[in-house]
Amino acid sequence: MQSKTQNLAPAFTLFPSLKPPNKTLTFHQFTVLAITFLAYASFHASRKPPSIVKGVLGPKIQLNSSMIESNLASLESSGTGWAPFNGSKGTHRLGELDLAFLSAYSIGMYFAGHVGDRIDLRLFLVFGMVGSGLLTIIFGLGYWLNVHWLGYFVGVQILCGLFQSIGWPCVVAVVGNWFGKAKRGLIMGIWTSHTSVGNIIGSVVASGVLEYGWGWSFVVPGVLVILFGVLVFLFLVVNPEDIGFETPGKEIEMDVEVSGLENLEKVESEVAGLLGEEDLGSTAAIGFLEAWRLPGVAPFAFCLFFSKLVAYTFLYWLPFYISHTDVAGVHLSHKTAGILSTVFDIGGVFGGVLAGLISDMIEARAVTSMAFLLLSIPALVLYRVYGSVSMLLNNSLMFLSGLLVNGPYALITTAVAADLGTQDLIKGNSRALATVSAIIDGTGSVGAAVGPLLAGYISTRGWNSVFLMLIVSLFLASLFLIRVVKTEIKGMLNDGKWLSNNATAQ
């Protein structure tokens, strides 16, 4: 095992003033939040280019509710788009490209969490960021190399998905190491906005350079994630103990796609029972199947499956949808559509903060998540029906949809942790953090892979069918929360917390 000195980030050797007692625990906690925020935001920024360039690569289809008004045969021979994505099956090929990335991402997520439990998380995270950046750049090089072979793009996306899968288990485990059991729904709601912030940055950057050639839309975000990888290598501290601090409590309450495991002390005792051991200790890793057997993991993993199906369909297809749907009778350019799609992610930022704030106020993460999911259903219906009436209405409804769809994103896996905690399941096993969060997010990532693929196929029948798929998925996601919502409400009523909160408010 490496010593703490060997694991310490280089910046602490170059700048000794960063070490305690010169800097406090609080300073380093927020430094870790900032660095991991930027790291994961850069991951998402480098994922955004495929959605921005879809309109340039794919066939020029003008969709009006459920009708395809373009003649695909004539477009295929006109030289528009980029082979092999510009033919009559162009949207299918684009959907399959998303599937290649997200399937590799979801599979890699399971293994990344397992590996992350056992090696230096800082170096592992840097490895994932640099690899992701290089492969994003390599995809963009296809523009200048005049590559038209589908296998090239699919292969690069598969490898990129594997490297990208390293990011989430690492940042979750690092943040989990630094934060104790204090209520942090609002803080984590802000922290988990890194997903939406990354999407916004990726959309703006990729759209801004699109006019110079679609290759630049990949190269610039690829360089960005590598630069942030250097920042992580220089400054990230994985554990408080590495610079002389004590761990601020073994219990953690944080959001795992949020995070990780609330009431970790309760998890260890259950894991010990599953493995037939009396004491695993805070550094014991758990097996893949043992983690799946923890009650509550599977239901919430499938809840995240459907939630991410919706979120990633918007991530990969919203700019394409906007550019192929007239708004107030005006056809928007690909660049404008890409920038306009950031309104959805801006709503997601506010939604994450709002959901975290509400969950702290009522102390009910699952209830908050389910309410957001159910409210997002009519929001999507309104956006589909009235989004084309005017630019103001389009932006307003897109913002509302992003707020409600992405709002509970950070709370869903926190609800997993809360549910496990109430059943006396998890205790003190910090080594299990990356494994369990990887299982939950990995399963969700399967849904993320399925959604964009289905959108690519279903969109040829009309966007009403795509929105129907999204609405059904949101409903199913909420169904998986029913059990924990009932448990949460029952527990709150038994404890009298809601009554006391209401009395305090009065």
Side-chain angles (χ1 to χ4, degrees):
M1 179 179 292
Q2 293 179 310
S3 68
K4 291 182 174 63
T5 302
Q6 289 174 311
N7 290 334
L8 195 60
F12 290 83
T13 301
L14 298 173
F15 308 103
S17 61
L18 291 174
K19 298 180 181 179
N22 300 305
K23 301 298 182 182
T24 64
L25 174 63
T26 301
F27 170 85
H28 284 288
Q29 284 180 318
F30 281 95
T31 298
V32 166
L33 282 179
I35 293 174
T36 52
F37 181 99
L38 292 173
Y40 204 67
S42 68
F43 270 116
H44 261 264
S46 66
R47 293 182 199 177
K48 194 63 181 178
S51 68
I52 299 299
V53 304
K54 269 187 171 70
V56 175
L57 300 180
K60 304 302 183 289
I61 309 171
Q62 180 66 35
L63 296 175
N64 180 14
S65 85
S66 63
M67 295 182 63
I68 303 175
E69 299 179 346
S70 296
N71 187 326
L72 292 180
S74 62
L75 284 173
E76 185 172 1
S77 61
S78 67
T80 59
W82 186 274
F85 307 108
N86 62 341
S88 59
K89 299 294 184 181
T91 56
H92 297 180
R93 301 291 86 79
L94 291 169
E96 291 161 3
L97 201 64
D98 298 336
L99 177 66
F101 173 88
L102 293 167
S103 296
Y105 177 83
S106 60
I107 294 171
M109 183 70 69
Y110 293 110
F111 295 100
H114 191 70
V115 174
D117 280 344
R118 292 159 173 80
I119 67 173
D120 189 322
L121 286 172
R122 178 175 62 90
L123 297 180
F124 194 38
L125 179 57
V126 171
F127 176 69
M129 296 179 75
V130 173
S132 298
L134 289 175
L135 286 161
T136 303
I137 293 171
I138 290 172
F139 191 103
L141 291 178
Y143 171 75
W144 291 282
L145 298 176
N146 201 29
V147 177
H148 296 279
W149 179 42
L150 180 62
Y152 173 87
F153 298 108
V154 170
V156 172
Q157 286 294 80
I158 289 175
L159 291 175
C160 191
L162 292 175
F163 276 96
Q164 286 262 339
S165 69
I166 295 173
W168 184 247
C170 287
V171 297
V172 164
V174 170
V175 174
N177 289 337
W178 278 91
F179 285 85
K181 64 181 179 179
K183 184 194 305 180
R184 301 189 184 277
L186 177 58
I187 293 176
M188 289 300 119
I190 296 173
W191 180 73
T192 53
S193 67
H194 48 38
T195 298
S196 296
V197 170
N199 291 341
I200 294 169
I201 294 173
S203 296
V204 172
V205 171
S207 299
V209 297
L210 183 59
E211 59 187 293
Y212 303 108
W214 64 260
W216 287 110
S217 296
F218 287 86
V219 170
V220 177
V223 171
L224 182 68
V225 72
I226 292 175
L227 292 177
F228 279 113
V230 174
L231 176 70
V232 170
F233 175 77
L234 292 175
F235 290 96
L236 183 64
V237 180
V238 173
N239 293 293
E241 295 91 340
D242 291 345
I243 54 174
F245 291 113
E246 293 184 2
T247 302
K250 293 299 183 183
E251 296 180 1
I252 296 174
E253 179 183 335
M254 54 173 283
D255 307 348
V256 272
E257 156 98 288
V258 164
S259 109
L261 301 174
E262 172 188 56
N263 298 329
L264 284 180
E265 289 187 359
K266 296 179 181 178
V267 175
E268 186 186 45
S269 61
E270 174 64 16
V271 174
L274 290 172
L275 301 181
E277 300 176 6
E278 295 182 359
D279 185 13
L280 289 177
S282 63
T283 61
I286 66 173
F288 179 80
L289 294 179
E290 284 75 15
W292 265 109
R293 289 170 57 192
L294 294 175
V297 170
F300 283 98
F302 290 117
C303 174
L304 194 61
F305 172 96
F306 289 105
S307 179
K308 291 190 74 169
L309 184 154
V310 176
Y312 272 71
T313 299
F314 275 100
L315 172 67
Y316 281 93
W317 285 96
L318 183 57
F320 186 89
Y321 169 74
I322 295 174
S323 67
H324 289 80
T325 304
D326 290 343
V327 179
V330 177
H331 182 72
L332 303 177
S333 68
H334 301 302
K335 178 179 179 179
T336 303
I339 295 176
L340 184 61
S341 68
T342 62
V343 174
F344 182 87
D345 294 302
I346 293 172
V349 173
F350 284 91
V353 175
L354 180 62
L357 180 61
I358 293 175
S359 68
D360 273 353
M361 292 175 59
I362 68 175
E363 299 184 7
R365 304 219 187 288
V367 171
T368 304
S369 298
M370 189 172 186
F372 271 67
L373 287 171
L374 292 176
L375 288 173
S376 63
I377 293 176
L380 291 191
V381 173
L382 291 174
Y383 176 63
R384 173 56 187 157
V385 175
Y386 297 106
S388 60
V389 173
S390 69
M391 187 64 70
L392 176 61
L393 199 55
N394 183 285
N395 289 346
S396 299
L397 293 174
M398 193 190 311
F399 177 88
L400 179 63
S401 298
L403 184 148
L404 293 171
V405 169
N406 290 334
Y409 208 53
L411 296 179
I412 290 176
T413 43
T414 301
V416 178
D419 183 49
L420 295 176
T422 60
Q423 299 181 43
D424 295 327
L425 298 175
I426 302 177
K427 181 181 180 181
N429 190 356
S430 61
R431 297 286 287 178
L433 183 58
T435 299
V436 174
S437 64
I439 285 176
I440 294 171
D441 195 62
T443 303
S445 296
V446 176
V450 171
L453 175 69
L454 291 178
Y457 280 84
I458 297 175
S459 63
T460 58
R461 302 180 180 178
W463 288 103
N464 286 341
S465 299
V466 175
F467 274 81
L468 177 61
M469 175 193 73
L470 299 177
I471 290 170
V472 171
S473 297
L474 288 169
F475 178 72
L476 292 175
S478 64
L479 288 183
F480 279 102
L481 288 176
I482 289 178
R483 182 181 63 84
V484 71
V485 166
K486 292 173 61 178
T487 302
E488 199 171 66
I489 293 176
K490 182 178 179 181
M492 295 296 291
L493 291 176
N494 289 340
D495 293 341
K497 291 183 179 179
W498 280 353
L499 295 177
S500 62
N501 287 344
N502 290 336
T504 301
Q506 294 175 354

